[in-house]
Amino acid sequence: MFTWYKQSTPVERNTFWGCFAGWGLDALDVQMFTLAIPAIIAAYGIDHTQAGAISSVTLISSALGGWIAGALSDRFGRVRTLQMTILWFAGFTFLCAFAQNFPQLLLLKALQGFGFGGEWAAGAVLMAETIRTEHRGKAMGAVQSAWAVGWGAAVLVYAAAFSWLPADTAWRAMFAVGLLPAGLVLFVRRNLKEPVRVAPVGVSAGPKVSALAQILQVFQPRVLRTTLIGALLGTGAHGGYYAIMTWLPTFLAKERHLSVLNTGGYLAVVIVAFWCGCMLSAYLLDRIGRRRNIALFAFCCIVTVLAYVMLPLTNMQMLVLGFPLGLFAAGIPASLGPLFNELYPADMRGTGVGFCYNFGRIASAGFPVLVGYMSHSMSLGAAIGIDAAVAYGLAMIAVLLLPETRGKRLRGAAQEPSAGASSDSADAARLTLNPPRS
């Protein structure tokens, strides 16, 4: 599985570790907040609705930030945008430590979200254009596993802070640690190289499009079908995840009267399962292709979540079944980066990746709400199962409507057809590929 790393060039390895560190530190910042919620509620005297609003605002701003940062990476370059987003989310995470009231924290978390979402978009495109074709799926799937590493680090920081400091100081100290990613910019600046992106041979570069036109170019006729189906795929992938993870703790506590989700053992199982899911998906992406891999993981997610909500499970059985649930849920996000990058031409690749992935994050907010609404006329478990099955079913249908992109070479702009050429439409619709290489 790791043979690809030994075969990588120094540039490929530096890019891998730069993006791995950035994504892992993103996870550290995000997961620290979820762990600190009880202390924040006590510090500001807010209720659970207000605490949930912080998460919702951060999710929405991160989605918008991902779309905008993707467009900026097309306009100013992948590495420069990656640097800016890392500095942005690190700085605002640090400032959260000094928030004096709820409105201040809400605003700072919203601003932090822009950088968090943007870092993934810029890093994903940089990885896709740097790693060689035959190893792209393995490398990008492995980078996604950095989320589990950052999640585990957040748990350790949380344990240390709340063991040594008073609760009201501990959560602030956790956010202060968020400044660490700023040091990553030094690494990014010194070791990462911008992929070559020049005007096509024989074609005038022409005037630079406006910033708004850059953001909206994914709705051009030549890629509109790809954008709509990609957004549908992102919606299904994220919707299933949030439908499960938002309501599963309530379901197990209220309907099954189980306490397993409150144990450190379950948290460890979920984190390890997430890492394993990303690595398994990374291996299969270049082995069986993008479409089959996503469809396989989506189907397994449906089967696993239905078992969760329909079978009479004990605490130990729930702990054991938590591993495949976390593993399959992680495999789909780990697949989206390679696929979305391979669907778009170089001149709008960052914008397309940022839009498809992050549209799904915004649209997915409706799935947890739908579960709550459906639970008024049926059991909560049935509502979760139906909602998640519909979401993952949507992902399966969407990915089957897209072409298989395994083996596609992401050529620089100098080797791609011009923006107005008819072959662009053909490339976006059919993605004429080079033969896959294993």
Side-chain angles (χ1 to χ4, degrees):
M1 182 182 292
F2 297 102
T3 304
W4 68 268
Y5 185 80
K6 297 178 182 178
Q7 298 173 353
S8 299
T9 65
V11 172
E12 289 176 316
R13 293 183 184 182
N14 289 336
T15 302
F16 172 81
W17 286 114
C19 295
F20 186 97
W23 190 232
L25 291 168
D26 271 356
L28 172 69
D29 287 356
V30 172
Q31 296 297 335
M32 282 193 305
F33 171 73
T34 64
L35 294 168
I37 285 178
I40 293 173
I41 290 175
Y44 292 144
I46 60 178
D47 56 26
H48 287 82
T49 300
Q50 291 172 301
I54 297 176
S55 295
S56 297
V57 167
T58 305
L59 179 65
I60 293 172
S61 67
S62 67
L64 294 175
W67 185 10
I68 294 171
L72 291 176
S73 74
D74 287 333
R75 192 177 182 86
F76 301 112
R78 320 309 192 193
V79 175
R80 184 181 300 178
T81 304
L82 186 63
Q83 293 172 358
M84 292 188 297
T85 55
I86 291 173
L87 283 174
W88 182 283
F89 84 73
F92 281 105
T93 300
F94 178 74
L95 291 177
C96 286
F98 304 97
Q100 298 301 305
N101 50 50
F102 169 72
Q104 289 181 13
L105 183 62
L106 184 67
L107 175 62
L108 290 170
K109 285 291 292 178
L111 291 172
Q112 178 218 37
F114 278 103
F116 159 63
E119 192 277 335
W120 185 91
V125 180
L126 176 63
M127 282 281 295
E129 293 181 340
T130 303
I131 305 298
R132 69 189 71 181
T133 303
E134 60 267 31
H135 298 324
R136 187 181 302 127
K138 292 184 283 291
M140 296 188 71
V143 160
Q144 194 78 20
S145 73
W147 187 269
V149 177
W151 190 353
V155 173
L156 295 178
V157 171
Y158 168 80
F162 280 84
S163 296
W164 298 336
L165 299 171
D168 189 47
T169 304
W171 71 266
R172 295 182 183 276
M174 290 176 65
F175 281 129
V177 171
L179 192 61
L180 289 176
L184 180 64
V185 173
L186 299 176
F187 176 87
V188 170
R189 183 180 293 115
R190 294 183 58 186
N191 294 278
L192 300 191
K193 293 185 178 180
E194 182 69 26
V196 177
R197 298 168 65 239
V198 296
V201 176
V203 177
S204 174
K208 205 167 190 178
V209 299
S210 67
L212 180 59
Q214 186 82 44
I215 293 174
L216 297 179
Q217 63 181 340
V218 291
F219 300 112
Q220 294 178 9
R222 62 180 173 129
V223 294
L224 181 59
R225 180 179 181 275
T226 295
T227 297
L228 294 178
I229 298 175
L232 193 66
L233 172 58
T235 299
H238 287 99
Y241 178 85
Y242 286 114
I244 296 170
M245 297 305 173
T246 300
W247 286 105
L248 195 58
T250 302
F251 164 73
L252 293 176
K254 301 298 183 182
E255 293 193 3
R256 294 292 177 85
H257 308 291
L258 302 178
S259 60
V260 64
L261 285 185
N262 296 322
T263 66
Y266 187 88
L267 186 60
V269 166
V270 171
I271 292 175
V272 173
F274 190 95
W275 185 87
C276 292
C278 290
M279 298 307 294
L280 177 61
S281 181
Y283 173 75
L284 293 176
L285 277 167
D286 289 328
R287 189 80 175 179
I288 65 175
R290 286 38 166 161
R291 297 169 75 233
R292 289 180 180 178
N293 188 66
I294 293 176
L296 173 63
F297 274 88
F299 175 77
C300 291
C301 280
I302 294 173
V303 173
T304 309
V305 71
L306 290 178
Y308 240 86
V309 299
M310 293 184 176
L311 297 179
L313 303 174
T314 65
N315 258 8
M316 181 54 65
Q317 291 170 336
M318 190 64 64
L319 183 66
V320 173
L321 195 56
F323 186 88
L325 182 65
L327 184 144
F328 295 133
I332 300 177
S335 308
L336 297 181
L339 175 61
F340 287 155
N341 272 284
E342 292 160 351
L343 289 173
Y344 287 92
D347 63 316
M348 63 175 70
R349 184 166 295 134
T351 311
V353 171
F355 176 80
C356 291
Y357 188 86
N358 290 290
F359 178 87
R361 295 175 72 181
I362 294 179
S364 66
F367 283 86
V369 176
L370 183 59
V371 170
Y373 176 79
M374 293 170 60
S375 67
H376 293 302
S377 57
M378 63 182 69
S379 69
L380 180 59
I384 294 173
I386 293 173
D387 212 40
V390 169
Y392 285 124
L394 191 65
M396 291 179 66
I397 294 173
V399 78
L400 294 178
L401 294 175
L402 292 171
E404 176 54 58
T405 59
R406 178 179 58 145
K408 185 187 181 185
R409 297 187 180 279
L410 298 187
R411 299 162 294 176
Q415 296 143 321
E416 290 192 347
S418 62
S422 59
S423 56
D424 270 334
S425 299
D427 186 58
R430 297 188 300 271
L431 287 177
T432 303
L433 307 179
N434 294 297
R437 296 172 60 185
S438 57

